[in-house]
Amino acid sequence: MTEDLEPRAASPRTSRWSRLGALRNHAENAFVSVFLLAMAVIPVVEFIGRRWFGVGIPGAHEYLQHLTLWVAFLGACLASREGRHLTIAAAERVFPPAWKRRIDWFTGFVSATVCLTLAGASIQLLASEAAAVPESWRGVLPAFLVAWLEPYGLFEPGSLTRIGGWLPVWVGEAVMPFGFLVIAGRFVLRSSPRARYRALAALSIPFAIALAVWGSPYASHFVIPGFLVLIASAVLGAPIFVLLGGSAILLFWGAGVTIAAIPAETYRIVTYPVFPTIPIFTLAGFVLSESRADQRLVRVFREFFGWMPGGTAVAATVVCGFFTTFTGASGVTILALGGLLLPVLIQAGFKERFSIGLLTATGSLGLLLPPSLVVILYAVLARIPVTDMFVAGIIPGLLLVVSICVVCVIQGYRDRVARGRFNPKEAARALWGAKWEVAIPVLALWLIFSGFCTLVEAAAAVVVYALFVEVVIYRDIRVRDVFSVLTQCSMLVGGVLIILGVAMGLTSYLVDAQVPMAAADWAAAHIESRWVFLILLNVALIVVGCLMDIFSALVVVVPIVLPMAEVFGIHPAHLGVIFLANLELGYLTPPIGMNLFLASFRFERPLPVVYKAAVPFLLILLCMVLLITFVPSLTLGLFNLVGTGAP
């Protein structure tokens, strides 16, 4: 029996479908990339026009806010296409491969059902906005759909809210049902390569419709079984946003409240005035990570710190902190810099275990330093000025960085790592070679704190500057590769923003159910000491940091903790620093801290090896976080100096 070693030729039909699929993917990539690029260009054009010509772009802020919504959902569609959504995915490493098809079908079915339900909720929201749809649509839509939509005023003429004075707001909102439908379809298609399992996953469509049409009277009976199904699917690999969105659906259904509140809250948070800074600053960090900026910055800091004991490790710490301020707690720092810095540290004479632990710990080290994305998000949720939070995070953020640098110096002494001599000429040459990138944080901070422009305009100026530097000056990124960078960044942005959107729906239920006030009353009744409250808060936040990504943790937990902290007289800015510092620790805490999994993947080492390497750094950072927690002046001390009016 002989084997046919020649590959089978693809049939004309298969080849045609492949070409159409590739063309569709290119079109999707180009579409969302243009939108993301426009988010960076519009504020800059608006600022230049307003500042020097007296004429800006009418409605620029409204366009930008709705572009954020479109980038969020279209980016999430791309993430679904490529399987790039944030997941827990712990159990699929435990179960044998034979179970994979069943697990993929189950998670695909649950994820598609949740997304279809959210699409229906988004259509309800659109119905309340699009109040001027022709009456003739009654004869086109199915009867059950007309009966479902009519209570929301779809067929009643009325005035429309408009974007920029001309575009109906429901056009901007239309990306939500479209996005959820596309994501649901892709969950079905990715559930299995086999048609049988795809067909089973596609049963989510009639199942979701049946729940929407006939399930309301029995909704209270679905809550507990539904939660069990959602938790099982999340553990088996369903995206985090499915768990959060599904939980919000169950809670609203169980309370007899319309689930249109979920996309309404998604729309509200994503179109918040300063919210566009999150995807814009993310793009700035992504541009830097895709260039050779890391190599130039490593050279600069090695030249300036290489004469110290452990100077190379100090340089690695500073570089990682720099990148994390722009990329947030997304894992980009470990994935982008880990492969470069690990060989550098080992070659310098550091042990592999120390090097892996250092890079795992520094993957989220710059979270408190401006212009950190999570600091911006906390300020939005706590309703305090973003610049106040930036000021509050400077000393604690530097304290965390310096503590790791001290560990690097001690380790350099202990291992007798070779040091170089400080050469002013080489240091000046390295600094000159990276001058354009070294100027980026200086430019960002000056634009933010000078009042020269708004925060969104400052973020956009940093992106335009970074693109010009990397594409035109250094030419690390070719012009034809810019859209590839934009596409990859869009997937990251979409994966994060869709989590934030559905998490706001869950938060809305918690607020409506007065959970934050009940928690504050409980704390006042059962916890007498402020210090006991802070200790319990630290422990709880570390656990939350282990179980949730930092963005969804902020959206869900901040509204609950804020009233409790107010009972004990804790300033919101101090609470924010405690919050972020502890969530950062959660990323390092075994057994399921996210940085541990990313480091295991990036450095190709077993998780137990990464655990042992990271624990010493975890303990050092824990001591610093406790210091930050119990010495509020470290956080609030700069307020009086800069005139922010803190107590």
Side-chain angles (χ1 to χ4, degrees):
M1 181 175 173
T2 60
E3 294 185 5
D4 185 8
L5 299 179
E6 293 295 327
R8 294 183 179 180
S11 66
R13 178 177 298 180
T14 303
S15 179
R16 183 166 60 251
W17 279 112
S18 298
R19 289 196 297 271
L20 288 174
L23 183 62
R24 180 203 64 210
N25 291 346
H26 286 311
E28 290 178 5
N29 296 347
F31 200 60
V32 71
S33 297
V34 168
F35 276 17
L36 182 58
L37 186 61
M39 288 188 65
V41 172
I42 288 176
V44 174
V45 174
E46 155 70 14
F47 170 74
I48 293 174
R50 185 185 72 246
R51 189 83 181 185
W52 282 286
F53 299 99
V55 179
I57 301 175
H61 298 298
E62 295 177 4
Y63 295 139
L64 191 64
Q65 291 163 16
H66 288 83
L67 275 175
T68 306
L69 186 70
W70 277 72
V71 168
F73 276 87
L74 295 180
C77 291
L78 298 188
S80 300
R81 186 188 75 196
E82 305 296 331
R84 298 274 294 274
H85 281 290
L86 290 174
T87 63
I88 299 174
E92 65 179 14
R93 294 189 177 96
V94 177
F95 284 91
W99 283 75
K100 189 176 187 305
R101 286 196 297 270
R102 297 177 181 88
I103 290 174
D104 289 345
W105 168 80
F106 174 68
T107 56
F109 177 87
V110 173
S111 300
T113 301
V114 170
C115 289
L116 288 167
T117 307
L118 291 172
S122 302
I123 292 173
Q124 292 180 16
L125 176 64
L126 254 68
S128 65
E129 294 284 355
V133 175
E135 181 73 17
S136 59
W137 276 37
R138 285 180 180 271
V140 177
L141 299 175
F144 78 88
L145 194 57
V146 172
W148 179 50
L149 294 175
E150 195 165 25
Y152 299 94
L154 177 63
F155 304 103
E156 298 174 5
S159 60
L160 293 176
T161 307
R162 299 184 182 275
I163 304 167
W166 67 276
L167 184 67
V169 73
W170 65 266
V171 175
E173 294 174 343
V175 73
M176 291 193 288
F178 172 79
F180 280 127
L181 287 172
V182 171
I183 293 170
R186 283 175 172 165
F187 279 134
V188 170
L189 293 175
R190 291 184 62 86
S191 62
S192 175
R194 295 189 177 185
R196 180 178 63 179
Y197 283 100
R198 286 185 178 181
L200 289 173
L203 291 176
S204 57
I205 300 173
F207 183 71
I209 293 174
L211 285 178
V213 177
W214 297 294
S216 296
Y218 314 99
S220 60
H221 301 292
F222 296 151
V223 175
I224 294 178
F227 271 122
L228 294 176
V229 170
L230 285 172
I231 292 170
S233 65
V235 171
L236 293 171
I240 293 172
F241 88 85
V242 170
L243 173 63
L244 297 173
S247 299
I249 290 169
L250 291 172
L251 291 171
F252 277 114
W253 264 352
V257 179
T258 174
I259 58 174
I262 302 172
E265 288 299 317
T266 300
Y267 176 79
R268 185 176 70 84
I269 185 66
V270 174
T271 57
Y272 194 81
V274 301
F275 203 82
T277 56
I278 293 178
I280 295 174
F281 270 132
T282 301
L283 177 57
F286 216 89
V287 168
L288 293 174
S289 68
E290 291 296 306
S291 68
R292 289 195 289 271
D294 51 359
Q295 299 176 26
R296 287 185 287 270
L297 292 173
V298 167
R299 183 188 171 202
V300 169
F301 292 119
R302 285 184 69 177
E303 291 295 337
F304 277 89
F305 298 111
W307 59 271
M308 300 170 53
T312 302
V314 172
T317 300
V318 175
V319 170
C320 289
F322 170 84
F323 272 85
T324 306
T325 58
F326 287 97
T327 58
S330 59
V332 170
T333 300
I334 293 176
L335 297 177
L337 302 186
L340 166 70
L341 294 176
L342 182 61
V344 170
L345 290 170
I346 293 175
Q347 185 179 6
F350 291 97
K351 295 178 181 178
E352 181 182 86
R353 179 171 166 178
F354 171 84
S355 302
I356 291 176
L358 175 67
L359 297 177
T360 304
T362 54
S364 54
L365 192 59
L367 288 183
L368 291 175
L369 297 173
S372 172
L373 307 179
V374 290
V375 170
I376 296 171
L377 179 59
Y378 176 84
V380 170
L381 296 170
R383 299 183 183 277
I384 61 177
V386 176
T387 51
D388 280 11
M389 275 306 303
F390 282 157
V391 171
I394 290 175
I395 291 180
L398 291 175
L399 181 64
L400 294 176
V401 173
V402 170
S403 67
I404 297 299
C405 290
V406 170
V407 173
C408 294
V409 172
I410 294 173
Q411 190 69 29
Y413 267 121
R414 181 179 300 171
D415 291 346
R416 297 182 179 179
V417 176
R419 314 182 248 169
R421 296 179 62 183
F422 179 69
N423 187 327
K425 290 184 178 179
E426 287 299 321
R429 189 175 292 114
L431 182 61
W432 183 256
K435 59 184 180 297
W436 302 107
E437 288 146 341
V438 171
I440 288 178
V442 177
L443 173 66
L445 294 176
W446 178 75
L447 289 173
I448 291 169
F449 290 108
S450 67
F452 189 66
C453 59
T454 67
L455 181 62
V456 174
E457 290 167 349
V462 169
V463 169
V464 172
Y465 176 85
L467 278 171
F468 181 80
V469 167
E470 305 302 341
V471 174
V472 178
I473 297 179
Y474 290 119
R475 299 184 181 179
D476 289 346
I477 301 175
R478 294 174 296 182
V479 174
R480 64 183 181 184
D481 293 332
V482 169
F483 278 102
S484 175
V485 173
L486 292 168
T487 300
Q488 296 299 317
C489 183
S490 299
M491 292 184 199
L492 175 62
V493 168
V496 169
L497 294 192
I498 196 170
I499 290 175
L500 297 182
V502 298
M504 277 301 298
L506 179 58
T507 301
S508 174
Y509 171 83
L510 297 176
V511 172
D512 291 344
Q514 296 187 338
V515 172
M517 298 309 300
D521 292 341
W522 180 90
H526 294 85
I527 303 176
E528 297 181 359
S529 169
R530 172 178 178 171
W531 309 118
V532 172
F533 171 74
L534 288 173
I535 291 173
L536 294 176
L537 178 63
N538 282 352
V539 173
L541 290 176
I542 290 174
V543 173
V544 170
C546 289
L547 299 176
M548 300 176 69
D549 71 283
I550 198 167
F551 296 100
S552 56
L554 283 169
V555 173
V556 174
V557 183
V558 165
I560 297 175
V561 175
L562 270 174
M564 300 172 67
E566 187 177 351
V567 170
F568 294 97
I570 299 171
H571 192 278
H574 184 211
L575 177 67
V577 171
I578 295 172
F579 221 103
L580 299 176
N582 278 285
L583 292 178
E584 180 181 335
L585 284 184
Y587 275 34
L588 277 178
T589 303
I592 55 175
M594 188 182 75
N595 279 12
L596 303 172
F597 287 101
L598 292 173
S600 176
F601 168 77
R602 187 65 184 88
F603 304 128
E604 299 179 352
R605 299 295 187 274
L607 275 171
V609 172
V610 179
Y611 292 161
K612 292 179 181 178
V615 165
F617 294 94
L618 173 64
L619 296 176
I620 294 295
L621 291 174
L622 176 61
C623 293
M624 295 301 105
V625 170
L626 292 175
L627 182 63
I628 293 167
T629 301
F630 294 109
V631 184
S633 59
L634 291 173
T635 298
L636 302 177
L638 281 181
F639 275 91
N640 292 332
L641 294 178
V642 298
T644 55

